[in-house]
Amino acid sequence: MSQEQPRRPSEQAAGGGGEQGIRYGDVFPVSGSLAVKPIAPRDAATMQSAENLVLGKTVKGGPAAAMESAASRNEEMGVVGHDQATDATAEQGVTVSDTLVPGGGRIVTEFVAGQAVGHHVEQDDGASVVAGVAGGGGVEGGVEDHTKITIGEALEAAAFAAGGKPVEGSDAAAIQAAEARATGLDANIAGGLAAQAQSAAAANLWTARDEDKTKLGDVLTVTYTLFYQFNRARQNATAKLVADKEVESGDAARVAGAETRNKPGATARPGGVAASMAAAARLNRGPT
């Protein structure tokens, strides 16, 4: 997923946007005709309604909030009217979909005219982190498929669903398998996620009280950064991987095998690494 920083609306207007205002391609990793369309107030209102309908709220720092900021700027510039909508949203609409993560939480993906404009992971208590209101890469150059959840993002989902649990050997084994599938390397990366998880699991064996043990969330941590009007998230699990890839069924199966082989009773942790990988693989497969 793109980690490019969104530009200030004033920079977008003075730079690539010009009289066209802030376009979808300036804010989101979209392509084709959508990328060059200015974001309009009715577009933002429609996305806000979709978020409220599916999630019961507007996501702080999510696509609707980013669209509202851009649309307000475009209206001030006279690029769009107050009641205007782009034909892309009027004809193709917006969509908010969610996939439950076993053990708690869900992965939410939001679309405009069939193209993904954001991912976020949400806990059962309503707390959420935006993982993909991505800075636009412009309309030139290759555009990745941003509808897919990566291994790094699945690990971050596990940090939300089971982050308060002490790291066990089964967690470390699952993280090692996930890192290997992401990087294509058999050996642990020095200082990488697997190495940290294994160290934590080993230390936890000698720590008497659970409150003193290293938690799964301490290894797979998510921190926040504010970029201008746009809330963005820096995903530490993703940043710690030297490479990342979309989660496929084979990845989820390999991680599940590693976790259950190292867990008494051969059961996966609810909401843990294997469960989050399985949920991501199902989402990436789409309707069958």
Side-chain angles (χ1 to χ4, degrees):
M1 182 173 297
S2 172
Q3 295 296 316
E4 182 178 339
Q5 176 174 315
R7 294 172 289 173
R8 294 179 186 269
S10 59
E11 292 172 344
Q12 291 166 321
E19 295 181 356
Q20 294 177 317
I22 303 172
R23 300 168 297 177
Y24 277 95
D26 297 320
V27 181
F28 302 114
V30 296
S31 60
S33 61
L34 179 62
V36 297
K37 295 183 184 297
I39 299 175
R42 293 291 296 174
D43 300 351
T46 302
M47 179 60 83
Q48 185 178 41
S49 296
E51 287 185 355
N52 285 327
L53 179 64
V54 176
L55 307 175
K57 65 179 181 180
T58 300
V59 179
K60 183 179 180 180
M67 289 168 66
E68 183 178 5
S69 295
S72 296
R73 179 60 177 163
N74 283 346
E75 187 176 352
E76 291 174 2
M77 295 164 57
V79 175
V80 296
H82 181 68
D83 294 323
Q84 186 175 339
T86 64
D87 55 359
T89 58
E91 296 174 7
Q92 298 176 270
V94 302
T95 306
V96 177
S97 66
D98 63 338
T99 297
L100 296 178
V101 176
R106 53 185 171 174
I107 301 172
V108 178
T109 307
E110 302 185 44
F111 302 84
V112 173
Q115 298 193 51
V117 295
H119 293 304
H120 78 271
V121 177
E122 185 168 284
Q123 294 175 277
D124 286 338
D125 62 6
S128 62
V129 165
V130 176
V133 180
V139 295
E140 310 220 356
V143 177
E144 298 176 2
D145 183 354
H146 293 269
T147 67
K148 305 296 186 181
I149 304 297
T150 69
I151 289 175
E153 290 164 355
L155 292 175
E156 287 149 16
F160 279 96
K165 304 294 185 181
V167 179
E168 299 177 353
S170 58
D171 302 313
I175 292 170
Q176 182 182 37
E179 184 177 70
R181 297 292 288 192
T183 63
L185 301 174
D186 293 330
N188 285 356
I189 307 298
L193 284 176
Q196 293 178 40
Q198 289 169 346
S199 295
N204 284 349
L205 288 174
W206 299 94
T207 304
R209 302 190 308 168
D210 279 356
E211 55 265 36
D212 295 329
K213 294 180 179 180
T214 301
K215 307 301 190 295
L216 192 59
D218 296 330
V219 177
L220 307 174
T221 304
V222 180
T223 57
Y224 305 89
T225 304
L226 178 65
F227 287 148
Y228 310 126
Q229 289 115 307
F230 301 92
N231 279 327
R232 296 287 311 285
R234 180 178 181 83
Q235 298 83 35
N236 283 0
T238 300
K240 291 175 183 176
L241 291 174
V242 298
D244 203 0
K245 67 181 288 291
E246 298 162 2
V247 180
E248 299 174 351
S249 297
D251 304 321
R254 181 66 63 87
V255 170
E259 184 170 321
T260 55
R261 282 195 304 272
N262 291 274
K263 182 78 171 177
T267 58
R269 183 194 291 280
V273 175
S276 295
M277 288 283 289
R282 287 196 301 272
L283 178 64
N284 287 350
R285 283 199 303 270
T288 56

